Amino acid sequence: MTNLSNTDVLICGAGAAGLTLAIDLARRGINSHLVEKAQTPFGGSRGKGIQPRTLEVFEDLGFVDRIAAVGGHYPDQRTYRPDGTHTDEAMFAEAKPAPDEPYCVPLMVMQGRTEQVMRECLAELGRQPHYGCALTGFDQDAEGVTANVTDQSGEHTIRARYLVGADGGRSFVRHALGTAFPGKTLGVRAVVADLRLSGLDRTIWHRFNEGDMARQLALCPLAGTDLFQLQAPISAEGEPDLSVAGLQAFITARIATGFDVVVHDVSWASAYAMNARLADSYRTGRIFLIGDAAHIHPPTGGQGLNTSVQDAYNLGWKLAAVLAGASDALLNTYEEERRPIAAEMLGLSTGLLEAAKRGDMRRGREVQQLDLAYPTSSLAFEAPERHRGILAGDRAPDAPLTGAAGQGVRVFDLLKGPHWTLIGFMTDRATPVPRHGLHIHRVNSHGDLIDTHGHFRKAYGIGEGAWVLVRPDGYIGAIVAADHLGGLEGYLNQVGLPEGSSRGERLAVRSDLI
């Protein structure tokens, strides 16, 4: 082996999960190395739905507007009947942005374009994926992981403090660890393809033979492109012809009479069997699984990419905290929080698949991921315990405020960045001790922020004198009353924000309450 290099975190897999983690670590100043065995980036549509909660994550990471610029909104669905008539229906209920939820419907963005924007963001942070670089083996010890990788120049050894497997449903990392991946094959095989074609209105998502799994076919115009995405169930036997001629014949056989659809080009195509599987463990020592390496589910409901992004978003700040001196026990909360979410998503997407078989493609709030929370997490702390309104473990809602200097500001503006955020509501001038990595604000008539229209009070529902601590991933870590500030100080010590901490210090902290 040659070219031994060192890094804090080695990430295997440069899809959406791996890129999210690399971006989050880079903005925190953490050294990481991102390797991808594919020779070139993925360019297809595959995971095309960006849910509202993921848009909030992308806003925090700094590229939500770029994502929106390369995509667009979902068109209405047109279902054609055998008699030649059709009905049009919106896929999502009409909604408008609210003060606490600025993103109200999913965006359609080709996965290839989402990942392109993410690579550009990563490059601005001085990092880039290494394509054509395959992980071939690894060993771990008490101090780190020694990994072997191969690229066009030969074999290399990388020494990392941690290894993260973001390498998809066939994860090499998961297989090498021997981590079980139980679940089931769902009995549905499908073809998905990105096509240039003529003969169909690009303002409509066209659906044929709904409810008939032998003839069902959908052609969706991909926002921001000149492509249509083909989706259709296929036989479990044999290999489909994914050429222009093959897909032309396939479409012609399934669409209604009266259409003259001509396929001009196949940009990307794949045939796959749908599965629902969940890794038995997300952590093995210094090695973690995120994204499809940890869970795979059917595409119905658009949960896969979104759940994967939020796995990385959850793990990133915890890795950074431990690398800066927080207790290693903090990393156990990654699996504690994210594995139940994946299990819930498996149930949701599998249920939506059954509905899709019957021709029901409507989607409600359940797919938006705004209500996902960690209420039973060991990182959720309340003093005294509360039973209604926003609770520790919930997503921190947005709210418009007015700064003391007179300018408008959103709660999400306060949260943006890699820090923790502590907000006191109608508090006196007693303030917790400042510490590195914690931004402190006070919302009242003599604080730095004013709840001009009452949106903060409505969204958070906390009493006067209370403090809300928001984690770096936008979830509420703690809610404490004024007479329980001592408990908040202890909590901050546990999560790696001890009093007197400064950049670069590696301080041991208590882990008994994590």
Side-chain angles (χ1 to χ4, degrees):
M1 295 295 172
T2 60
N3 300 335
L4 178 67
S5 59
N6 293 282
T7 190
D8 287 322
V9 183
L10 174 61
I11 306 167
C12 181
L19 287 165
T20 300
L21 182 58
I23 290 168
D24 199 21
L25 293 175
R27 69 174 182 157
R28 297 173 188 280
I30 301 299
N31 186 24
S32 69
H33 199 75
L34 177 58
V35 299
E36 168 58 57
K37 69 178 181 179
Q39 295 295 322
T40 58
F42 175 71
S45 61
R46 199 153 52 199
K48 66 180 184 296
I50 309 296
Q51 300 295 345
R53 176 56 188 156
T54 306
L55 291 171
E56 294 180 353
V57 173
F58 288 170
E59 179 178 339
D60 176 50
L61 295 176
F63 54 83
V64 67
D65 291 323
R66 300 189 211 182
I67 290 291
V70 298
H73 294 289
Y74 277 75
D76 287 352
Q77 300 180 95
R78 176 167 295 173
T79 302
Y80 296 92
R81 302 188 186 94
D83 63 4
T85 62
H86 64 260
T87 56
D88 290 352
E89 183 179 37
M91 190 169 187
F92 307 102
E94 185 176 350
K96 295 181 179 180
D100 59 334
E101 295 178 355
Y103 305 102
C104 55
V105 293
L107 279 182
M108 181 193 292
V109 189
M110 286 182 59
Q111 182 172 339
R113 291 198 169 191
T114 296
E115 293 177 3
Q116 179 182 353
V117 169
M118 297 172 84
R119 288 192 300 274
E120 292 169 356
C121 180
L122 185 62
E124 291 170 359
L125 293 167
R127 311 289 169 80
Q128 63 181 357
H130 297 267
Y131 288 93
C133 186
L135 180 67
T136 58
F138 55 84
D139 293 295
Q140 65 172 314
D141 54 46
E143 301 299 322
V145 179
T146 301
N148 302 322
V149 300
T150 302
D151 62 16
Q152 61 182 1
S153 66
E155 295 182 315
H156 311 275
T157 301
I158 299 174
R159 179 68 176 172
R161 297 281 300 279
Y162 296 96
L163 168 65
V164 178
D167 49 343
R170 296 184 175 90
S171 171
F172 172 84
V173 175
R174 189 187 66 245
H175 282 290
L177 287 172
T179 301
F181 201 40
K184 60 183 178 180
T185 299
L186 298 174
V188 177
R189 190 167 178 237
V191 62
V192 58
D194 300 339
L195 312 173
R196 287 183 178 84
L197 58 79
S198 57
L200 288 178
D201 182 350
R202 285 197 58 84
T203 66
I204 290 292
W205 186 337
H206 306 268
R207 310 193 68 90
F208 301 90
N209 311 310
E210 289 298 300
D212 182 350
M213 291 295 287
R215 300 180 60 246
Q216 203 173 84
L217 180 141
L219 288 162
C220 176
L222 289 167
T225 79
D226 61 352
L227 301 170
F228 278 83
Q229 183 192 63
L230 163 69
Q231 296 172 306
I234 58 174
S235 171
E237 306 298 327
E239 291 301 319
D241 182 353
L242 301 180
S243 67
V244 170
L247 291 175
Q248 175 72 72
F250 182 83
I251 292 170
T252 300
R254 292 200 180 192
I255 63 173
T257 58
F259 288 90
D260 185 20
V261 175
V262 178
V263 178
H264 302 288
D265 180 56
V266 179
S267 176
W268 169 76
S270 176
Y272 64 100
M274 296 186 190
N275 287 269
R277 300 185 181 278
L278 179 63
D280 272 354
S281 175
Y282 278 26
R283 181 186 188 186
T284 305
R286 289 179 169 268
I287 303 171
F288 299 85
L289 301 175
I290 65 175
D292 287 355
H295 48 79
I296 54 173
H297 21 134
T300 42
Q303 300 300 291
L305 179 146
N306 296 274
T307 303
S308 299
V309 163
Q310 292 174 65
D311 286 347
Y313 194 54
N314 183 286
L315 180 61
W317 71 266
K318 296 173 181 179
L319 282 170
V322 172
L323 286 165
S327 168
D328 177 81
L330 180 62
L331 293 173
N332 291 331
T333 67
Y334 164 62
E335 178 174 330
E336 176 193 349
E337 293 180 344
R338 292 304 301 170
R339 193 171 182 276
I341 294 292
E344 185 178 340
M345 291 302 98
L346 287 175
L348 172 62
S349 56
T350 302
L352 291 174
L353 175 62
E354 293 303 311
K357 290 178 182 179
R358 302 188 298 269
D360 183 0
M361 295 297 295
R362 291 170 297 178
R363 301 287 180 262
R365 185 179 174 86
E366 73 279 2
V367 304
Q368 297 183 4
Q369 303 199 349
L370 291 168
D371 298 322
L372 299 182
Y374 311 126
T376 62
S377 170
S378 56
L379 295 180
F381 173 69
E382 292 183 352
E385 186 175 350
R386 302 165 69 251
H387 300 285
R388 64 179 182 177
I390 291 293
L391 304 175
D394 287 348
R395 159 193 167 273
D398 198 5
L401 300 163
T402 303
Q407 300 300 309
V409 63
R410 296 163 55 207
V411 168
F412 279 8
D413 295 331
L414 309 179
L415 306 184
K416 188 173 183 178
H419 55 272
W420 290 74
T421 307
L422 180 62
I423 305 174
F425 181 65
M426 303 299 288
T427 58
D428 57 27
R429 294 194 177 276
T431 303
V433 176
R435 51 190 82 197
H436 176 69
L438 177 67
H439 292 190
I440 302 175
H441 302 277
R442 291 165 51 246
V443 179
N444 58 38
S445 59
H446 54 273
D448 58 317
L449 300 166
I450 303 168
D451 190 18
T452 312
H453 301 290
H455 290 298
F456 184 89
R457 180 190 289 271
K458 180 179 179 181
Y460 282 82
I462 57 176
E464 294 186 7
W467 292 87
V468 178
L469 178 68
V470 183
R471 302 170 5 169
D473 59 357
Y475 285 86
I476 296 174
I479 301 176
V480 299
D483 55 351
H484 288 77
L485 277 178
L488 181 61
E489 300 283 358
Y491 180 97
L492 292 170
N493 289 338
Q494 296 167 39
V495 297
L497 296 173
E499 283 187 50
S501 61
S502 61
R503 185 176 298 275
E505 288 182 337
R506 295 185 179 271
L507 302 173
V509 297
R510 291 175 53 205
S511 62
D512 54 308
L513 296 181
I514 293 181

